[in-house]
Amino acid sequence: MIKTLDELIAYIDTFAAEIPQIDPGTNFWMFRSKQGAFYDEFIKHRYIAIGWNALLRSVLDDNPVDESLKTMLKEGFYQDKKPGSAVNKCRRFVEDVKANDIGMIVGSREIAFVQIGDYYEEITEQTTVEMERKVHEQIEIRDYNNLHCPYSKRRHITILSQINIDDLPSSVYKCFVSNRHSLSSLNEYAEAILSCCYDLVYYSNKLILKYHIRQPRDINPIDFSLFTLSVASLLTDDSSSISGRYNINSEGDIILLVTNLGKEALSFLQQNLLPIVLIHFALFGGKIAGMEIPSCVEKVKEWITDFQYRKENRRIKAADAKKAESEARTAEAKAEKEWIEVERMRKANEYASKTVDDLRRAAVPLDIKPTSTLIDFPAPPQKEAKSEE
């Protein structure tokens, strides 16, 4: 059973690497599903696809000059389409979209956020150019009976989350409403998209942490400010390293971004996972290492007191290291130092008590939802008892 902060730190540190870390080279894409007609099929069978079946990968590879491809489309079954735009989208889907990129699939009522996988082609009698045209005509008259996606060019996907369109962050909502293309780059919305995929994720030297407010009615600004201030003060002492984005149309999200100011990524995640776990325990209770913490307030306050005391000690030591001592410490200086340590612990205890009480008081009227990616770490393996001979 975990009893001390040191034991909690040691256990949490082993799981910091489990926090999703998104490569900074990841691209973000939006895929439409033909007015939502193929959305359910994409989700059920875990793939995305794009039309213009005449332009398979082999055709694109054999025709590096796009003019010949445009002519091919004009002379085929695509006379009503813009051939230049079609070629560009096909090349993007085949060549620019990569495995492990993040995608946003638009349905009629729902958005799915996915991790994109490898490219493949489905070549059957149901994915011919003729069948593609037939299905498009069927969609035009809103006949969705026995409708299946006829597109050959496909990519595997892994579902990360699914969100009702009405619940999207405003920035993501605006980009999909204003953009009607079947395939679009959304790199400028990367952080907002990731907050839709994960409650806790590391990307581009930032830790993105999300809390969801479930309160559908008006929000008290004092409760809102108290909650965000309490969480932020536990996460960092440097106000320049933390920022926030708030979708305060109840319900809505509180998204906090903590910037890594030069630490190695895993060390940064270990440092920040501890206060996030403490916040979670203060609000919701939880299970860690097989130990249930049914919102055990006094135990969490004890840990936060120790946590805050250590933070302050590190700050003082860093400041002292910059000063050159000109003389040996006297007995008087030693006594003063001991008094300061007692005072520091007293302040840490006051801080812990106030912070936990403020968090819990504010979270109730806001109806904060527990983060889905935290916390149910398994119990550590038990050490085998030594056999007595």
Side-chain angles (χ1 to χ4, degrees), residues 301-316:
K301 285 182 179 179
E302 176 188 320
W303 284 343
I304 291 178
T305 296
D306 196 1
F307 170 73
Q308 186 66 16
Y309 176 75
R310 295 183 192 197
K311 275 208 305 184
E312 183 64 11
N313 267 352
R314 288 194 296 270
R315 187 187 70 79
I316 296 296

Side-chain angles (χ1 to χ4, degrees), residues 50-57 60 69 73 84-96 119 153 182-183:
I50 196 169
W52 300 285
N53 287 347
L55 302 183
L56 299 177
R57 169 177 264 172
L60 295 171
L69 298 176
L73 293 181
S85 176
V87 173
N88 288 338
K89 288 171 185 173
C90 289
R91 286 205 183 277
R92 269 193 159 183
F93 188 86
V94 173
E95 300 169 3
D96 296 343
Y119 174 83
K153 297 186 290 299
S182 57
L183 171 59

Side-chain angles (χ1 to χ4, degrees), residues 331-363:
E332 181 181 351
K334 183 178 180 182
E336 182 181 0
K337 180 180 178 183
E338 290 174 354
W339 178 85
I340 291 173
E341 296 245 347
V342 172
E343 183 67 8
R344 203 178 298 156
M345 178 60 78
R346 183 187 68 78
K347 289 183 177 179
N349 187 55
E350 288 181 355
Y351 168 85
S353 182
K354 182 179 185 304
T355 300
V356 171
D357 291 344
D358 286 349
L359 273 171
R360 291 170 61 81
R361 191 181 87 187

